[in-house]
Amino acid sequence: MPDRLIARYLAPFAGRDGVNHLLTLGAAIRRSDIDDLELSEVRAPTLVIRGDHDDWVDRDVSARLASGIPKATLKRIPGVARLIPEETPDYLSEVLLEFIGDATVTDDEKSGVSTIK
């Protein structure tokens, strides 16, 4: 990634306040929150995407999500780490469009909500 993009990611965590913010974010994520999820209750078709070079999240997490969600598909992207949209945006777009396939998007003008069917 270009240095300017890296700087934008790091900016919120600069200085003493930034470090405190990062620690607060880290403390907010608990494994028990994830372990308690009832993945079998997810009814929507789900695409789980993992960069094969992601060293931050255990590989088993994506496999567990894909096997626990009834209509899930796991897509591993070779040569990519954690920031998939930044590292390979064109390929990610292709993967998403392929997954969506012939889906149609309808807009509810009153609520402003879009629905994929």
Side-chain angles (χ1 to χ4, degrees):
M1 286 189 293
D3 289 342
R4 288 182 65 179
L5 183 56
I6 293 171
R8 291 188 79 184
Y9 275 104
L10 295 178
F13 310 113
R16 182 175 301 240
D17 288 340
V19 171
N20 289 335
H21 177 65
L22 180 60
L23 293 172
T24 300
L25 287 175
I29 302 169
R30 296 182 307 239
R31 177 143 187 125
S32 61
D33 293 338
I34 298 169
D35 289 340
D36 292 343
L37 295 175
E38 290 296 333
L39 298 176
S40 62
E41 293 180 11
V42 176
R43 299 291 174 231
T46 304
L47 180 61
V48 178
I49 302 173
R50 175 179 175 76
D52 271 348
H53 290 177
D54 183 349
D55 294 330
W56 286 54
V57 177
D58 190 298
R59 294 179 186 273
D60 293 341
V61 171
S62 56
R64 185 170 58 90
L65 288 170
S67 65
I69 299 172
K71 296 179 183 175
T73 302
L74 174 59
K75 177 68 174 180
R76 290 187 172 96
I77 301 181
V80 176
R82 184 162 180 78
L83 300 175
I84 296 168
E86 286 81 3
E87 293 181 53
T88 183
D90 293 339
Y91 186 67
L92 176 60
S93 296
E94 291 174 22
V95 168
L96 292 171
L97 289 171
E98 180 181 316
F99 178 74
I100 293 169
D102 293 330
T104 57
V105 178
T106 58
D107 294 317
D108 182 335
E109 291 181 20
K110 288 183 181 178
S111 68
V113 174
S114 297
T115 305
I116 299 176
K117 295 181 183 183

